[in-house]
Amino acid sequence: MKFSIITLFPNLINSYISESIIKRAIEKNSIEVEVIDLRNHTTLKHNQVDDYQFGGGKGMVLMVEPVVNAIESCKTQNSLVVLTSPQGKTWNQNSARIYASNYDHIILICGHYEGFDERILDYIDLEISIGDYVLTGGEIASIVILDSITRLLDGVIAKDSHLNDSFENNLLDHPVFTKPIEFRGKIVPEVLTSGHHANIEKYRQEGRLRNTFNKRPDLLEKSELSKSDLEFINKLKKVKGDN
Ligand code: ADE
């Protein structure tokens, strides 16, 4: 899968993609990342890419021409053109799954300053927001989108390990532990060191349900629960009701 990231701050993107799992994914050719410096696509003096907004008002607005030139420098018939913006559709794990399996080339445009010339919208397929807050720019949003898609691609992380991720079937992940077995009197649940796989899986499923019930009860309505899951949730509700 290829990502083309159009940005005013190429160093920000380059620094993230040159570390850790994304770096490995690039080395293994699971992804290709092209970082496009918006300033290389303006025809104006001093590499100008923004200007004051018509009608008055504070802040600089990204100009349409350099953005369109940058898109056209990398767009092919199979590209999806995404603008990161707080006005977009909110990104979530399900979006990451859909994009990971349906697209070969995603162009991510990092918005900046007070906004962008509205005419840019004619050249994009959709706007994506990573949450209801305003960032100083779209670089972090682009990295969030790139990272959450990449880790779902074949061969990037251990096979099927994302099947245990939070948000799989709209449940949060179960608690996990590592060495030491005892820390300041707190001991790792015995079942996890028992070697009994069925009991471990039961403990983990109950952990997913308990975590979701306590931290994100809104997700439970969207998850597909078995009869035993529902019985366990009813137990949790009863305990909560008793307190
Ligand atoms: N740019 C500024 N804020 C943003 C947000 N919440 N999501 C995506 N891009 C943004």
Side-chain angles (χ1 to χ4, degrees), residues 84-86 128-131 133-135 137-138 141:
T84 57
S85 141
I128 290 177
S129 163
I130 59 161
Y133 39 79
V134 181
L135 303 164

Side-chain angles (χ1 to χ4, degrees), residues 25-209:
I26 295 170
E27 286 168 356
K28 282 166 64 182
N29 289 326
S30 300
I31 58 164
E32 181 189 344
V33 185
E34 173 186 31
V35 183
I36 298 175
D37 187 341
L38 191 56
R39 291 195 193 276
N40 293 339
H41 291 275
T42 177
T43 51
L44 300 177
K45 264 195 267 172
H46 312 299
N47 294 338
Q48 186 185 355
V49 290
D50 59 333
D51 213 326
Y52 295 102
Q53 61 178 302
F54 287 121
K58 287 221 176 85
M60 303 295 271
V61 173
L62 222 44
M63 295 167 125
V64 60
E65 197 200 11
V67 174
V68 171
N69 288 345
I71 294 171
E72 288 174 350
S73 77
C74 63
K75 189 176 162 160
T76 67
Q77 271 184 339
N78 298 323
S79 311
L80 180 80
V81 186
V82 172
L83 176 66
T84 57
S85 141
Q87 297 188 7
K89 189 170 182 304
T90 311
W91 187 251
N92 61 25
Q93 186 66 17
N94 204 34
S95 327
R97 262 183 232 120
I98 291 168
Y99 285 67
S101 46
N102 287 293
Y103 296 99
D104 294 329
H105 182 209
I106 299 181
I107 301 173
L108 294 162
I109 306 159
C110 307
H112 242 277
Y113 300 131
E114 278 307 291
F116 44 83
D117 189 305
E118 188 74 6
R119 291 168 290 185
I120 289 175
L121 297 183
D122 296 342
Y123 296 86
I124 64 157
D125 296 308
L126 81 164
E127 286 175 81
I128 290 177
S129 163
I130 59 161
D132 289 344
Y133 39 79
V134 181
L135 303 164
T136 53
E139 281 70 20
I140 292 173
S142 289
I143 288 170
V144 166
I145 295 166
L146 162 78
D147 189 293
S148 54
I149 292 175
T150 300
R151 63 186 294 288
L152 297 178
L153 299 175
D154 280 349
V156 172
I157 54 175
K159 198 170 183 316
D160 292 345
S161 75
H162 54 260
L163 295 181
N164 290 323
D165 283 346
S166 286
F167 306 110
E168 206 44 57
N169 184 24
N170 284 300
L171 293 178
L172 300 184
D173 199 7
H174 56 78
V176 294
F177 298 86
T178 185
K179 289 174 188 157
I181 285 197
E182 193 224 305
F183 178 70
R184 296 187 183 175
K186 278 214 138 185
I187 295 173
V188 173
E190 224 176 285
V191 58
L192 295 178
T193 52
S194 68
H196 192 302
H197 295 299
N199 286 353
I200 292 173
E201 187 38 49
K202 179 170 183 285
Y203 167 86
R204 288 184 168 161
Q205 181 63 2
E206 291 182 356
R208 290 182 192 106
L209 294 165

Side-chain angles (χ1 to χ4, degrees), residues 169-170 216 218-224:
N169 184 24
N170 284 300
R216 288 291 307 276
D218 56 300
L219 290 177
L220 283 175
E221 281 159 33
K222 293 185 257 170
S223 55
E224 285 170 27

